[in-house]
Amino acid sequence: MNTIWSHYVQGVKTLYYTRKLRFDNRFAQQYQALFGLDAGQEIKILEIGCGPGALAGALHRWYPNAEITAVDRDSAFICFAKEHEKGIVFLEGDATALPFKDNTFDVTISNTVSEHIAPQQFYGEQLRVLKPGGVCLVLSSRKGIHLAPHCVAPDTYEQQFWKKAQQYDDAMTKFAVCQYPMSEMELPAAMEKYGFHEIKTGYATIDLTPDHPKFPAILAREIINASRQTELDSIDMVLHNMPAYFTAEEAEKMKSIINAKYDVRIEQYDCGEKQWDTSVSIIMVVRGIK
C-alpha cells in the first residue's frame, strides 16, 4: 500500500476540495474550449495522476458519453476517489509504467503531474497507450494571485512553528517533488520533442473570490473552507515529516488557532463584511496529437 504522497506531501482533502473548486462547472467552458474534445463522442479518456478524483469527476460531467479511467500510485487517493466520484474506473498505477495495452485510449490528461516525472518517461508512456491520432492534454498550474483575509494572518506562535518547520523540511527532495519544472515555453517544446505534433497552448483563469456576488453562499463558504483544510493538512504534513521536532500538542494548538481564524472569516462572510480575499489560479493547458 503506497500512501507516500497523501501522507507526506499533500493531504487527500486538500487536493480534493481545492480541485473541486478549480474544476467547478462554472469553469467548464474555458476548459472544454482548450481541450478541443467532442462532448457527445464516445471516447476513452485516461487521467494520469488523478489524486482523489476531482478532475476525473469533472470529466465525467463534461463528457457524459466518455469512458473514463483514472490512475494514481497513492492508495489513499484512489480509496477516497472511489467513495466520492462515481461512474469512473479508479486504479492504482504508475505513470511511468501504465497498466494498459498499447493504443488503448483516445485521450490522456494530467493535472500538475508533468513536473514530477522525467519527460521522456511521462510522454513516452502516453504515446504508447494512446491510439493513433489520440489527444494528449497536460494541465499545469502557473503563477496566480493569492491574497488571504487579514483575519487569518499568522500570529507569533504560528510564525515560530513554520520557521522551525522550514529548518527541517526535506520532503521536496526526499520524495522527488517537482524535480522537472518547466516554463510556459518549455512545456510545449517538451511535448513536441517527445513525439507529439500539432501542439497548442492556452490558459484557463479560475477566479475564486468568496465575496463576489457571482458565487452563491454555499460555494463561497466552500472556497473559504478549502483554504482552511489546506492549512490544517499542512500541519499534519509537518508531524508526518518531522516527528522528532514537533509534538502532537503543538500541532493541535496550531489547528485550534487556524480553525478559530477561519471561523471568524466565515462569520464575516455571513454578516456581509466583505474582505475581498481572492485566489486566482492560472491553469496552462498544452494539447498535442499522437
Side-chain angles (χ1 to χ4, degrees), residues 188 191 197-202 285-288:
M191 182 181 281
H197 62 95
E198 297 182 38
I199 311 299
K200 297 179 181 179
T201 65
V285 178
V286 186
R287 185 183 193 275

Side-chain angles (χ1 to χ4, degrees), residues 238-256:
V238 169
L239 271 186
H240 298 161
N241 282 299
M242 295 163 266
Y245 301 104
F246 291 91
T247 66
E249 289 75 19
E250 287 177 291
E252 286 306 311
K253 181 174 180 179
M254 282 287 291
K255 289 183 178 181
S256 177

Side-chain angles (χ1 to χ4, degrees), residues 92-111:
E92 288 186 43
D94 191 330
T96 65
L98 294 168
F100 307 106
K101 295 180 179 179
D102 297 359
N103 307 315
T104 299
F105 295 95
D106 300 287
V107 179
T108 57
I109 186 170
S110 61
N111 175 47

Side-chain angles (χ1 to χ4, degrees), residues 142-147 205-209 278-282:
R142 304 285 98 185
K143 185 177 181 180
I145 301 169
H146 303 284
L147 298 172
T205 303
I206 312 305
D207 170 15
L208 299 172
T209 306
T278 188
S279 177
V280 181
S281 299
I282 309 297

Side-chain angles (χ1 to χ4, degrees), residues 57-114:
L59 293 171
H60 183 57
R61 298 192 303 272
W62 301 342
Y63 303 99
N65 294 325
E67 177 185 319
I68 299 170
T69 304
V71 299
D72 199 286
R73 65 181 182 178
D74 192 291
S75 308
F77 287 155
I78 294 300
C79 182
F80 185 96
K82 287 180 178 179
E83 293 178 359
H84 290 80
E85 298 292 346
K86 304 304 180 182
I88 300 155
V89 176
F90 288 104
L91 301 170
E92 288 186 43
D94 191 330
T96 65
L98 294 168
F100 307 106
K101 295 180 179 179
D102 297 359
N103 307 315
T104 299
F105 295 95
D106 300 287
V107 179
T108 57
I109 186 170
S110 61
N111 175 47
T112 63
V113 176
S114 62

Side-chain angles (χ1 to χ4, degrees), residues 181-203:
M182 293 188 188
S183 70
E184 292 82 356
M185 296 169 64
E186 292 168 332
L187 271 169
M191 182 181 281
E192 186 169 38
K193 177 180 179 180
Y194 292 103
F196 291 90
H197 62 95
E198 297 182 38
I199 311 299
K200 297 179 181 179
T201 65
Y203 299 84

Side-chain angles (χ1 to χ4, degrees), residues 15 27 35 62-63 69 85 94 103 113 120-121 147 161 183 188 200 207-208 214 218 222 231 235 240 258 263 269 273:
L15 278 187
F27 306 116
F35 293 171
W62 301 342
Y63 303 99
T69 304
E85 298 292 346
D94 191 330
N103 307 315
V113 176
Q120 186 171 2
Q121 293 178 301
L147 298 172
F161 180 94
S183 70
K200 297 179 181 179
D207 170 15
L208 299 172
K214 69 181 178 182
I218 188 170
E222 287 176 2
E231 293 205 39
I235 297 165
H240 298 161
I258 295 300
D263 287 346
Y269 175 80
E273 298 176 15

